[in-house]
Amino acid sequence: MTITLITGANKGIGFETAKQLLELGHVVYIGARDVERGEKAAAALGARFVQLDVTDDASVSSALATIDAAEGRLDVLVHNAGILGDGAIDGPTALRVFDTNAVGIVRVTEAALPLLRRSSNPNVVTVSSSAGSFWAVNNPDRPEFHLPLALYSASKSAATMLTVQYAKAHPGIKFNAIEPGTTATDMTAAFGIGRSPEESARTVVRLATLDADGPTGTLQDESGELRW
């Protein structure tokens, strides 16, 4: 039995990832900041719910303590929580975007490491973005070239770099970042672009179900490893 935690999983790609992993037999914990939305999503899927706000240390600690008490380990961690941070570029907005999209990864990973070390095949997947890739944002043929999302892009650069550094620091645990593809979610509604969350979630699921000898320290999309 595989124990999985997905942050920000009450909707969008996180919700669809939870659904697909449940179908594969995982025990899935949906982490969500909003209790009502999180419980509703978990009930709809047959998943378990933990209140988890990636910007709050106490919330993160409590969520991982709950999983520890119930399961004694964690096999898969999916960092899915994220915000777009479009609009005004100023200090408070930058702090909010980085706190969610990058610092949140550190909070949850550090709290999860003791549980991941008890797994026979520990695996961490970060839903990042090639909007944080120098190669992609400077390539006119890529959709990222046209996205005016400075704070989001910069925070996703940080998310991918954290993935690489964690992979180097913890060789016994797989850490990979994913570019899930341009997806139509609440977050991207203003742009009117993207495919279904269900389709993008398949890429997340592929990395979340890697064998013990799978890759680590990579940024990938559905076609394989990406430059960044």
Side-chain angles (χ1 to χ4, degrees), residues 17-33:
T17 299
K19 181 179 180 181
Q20 292 176 32
L21 288 174
L22 282 162
E23 290 169 355
L24 292 174
H26 288 222
V27 173
V28 176
Y29 282 82
I30 283 180
R33 182 175 54 187

Side-chain angles (χ1 to χ4, degrees), residues 83-224:
I83 58 174
L84 202 58
D86 55 341
I89 297 179
D90 53 27
T93 306
L95 287 170
R96 188 166 57 89
V97 172
F98 272 82
D99 199 18
T100 303
N101 295 358
V103 182
I105 290 171
V106 176
R107 284 193 186 94
V108 179
T109 301
E110 291 298 321
L113 279 172
L115 282 74
L116 288 164
R117 291 192 186 105
R118 296 182 209 142
S119 171
S120 60
N121 182 25
N123 188 3
V124 180
V125 181
T126 296
V127 180
S128 189
S129 173
S130 50
S133 157
F134 279 42
W135 164 74
V137 300
N138 286 306
N139 184 342
D141 296 328
R142 295 282 303 191
E144 298 86 353
F145 181 86
H146 305 284
L147 289 178
L149 298 172
L151 298 177
Y152 177 81
S153 295
S155 68
K156 290 301 187 177
S157 292
T160 304
M161 180 55 73
L162 284 168
T163 301
V164 173
Q165 294 297 336
Y166 270 118
K168 291 171 69 176
H170 302 280
I173 303 173
K174 290 183 295 297
F175 288 87
N176 291 286
I178 191 80
E179 156 54 57
T182 306
T183 310
T185 64
D186 290 353
M187 198 164 75
T188 60
F191 297 97
I193 55 175
R195 62 192 185 186
S196 70
E198 180 183 5
E199 190 174 349
S200 293
R202 293 192 194 109
T203 308
V204 184
V205 169
R206 178 175 61 80
L207 280 188
T209 54
L210 288 174
D211 293 334
D213 59 353
T216 188
T218 68
L219 172 65
Q220 297 193 32
D221 68 2
E222 62 208 69
S223 300

Side-chain angles (χ1 to χ4, degrees), residues 54-72:
V54 300
T55 68
D56 183 270
D57 290 284
S59 170
V60 171
S61 296
S62 176
L64 271 299
T66 297
I67 295 171
D68 189 6
E71 313 294 348

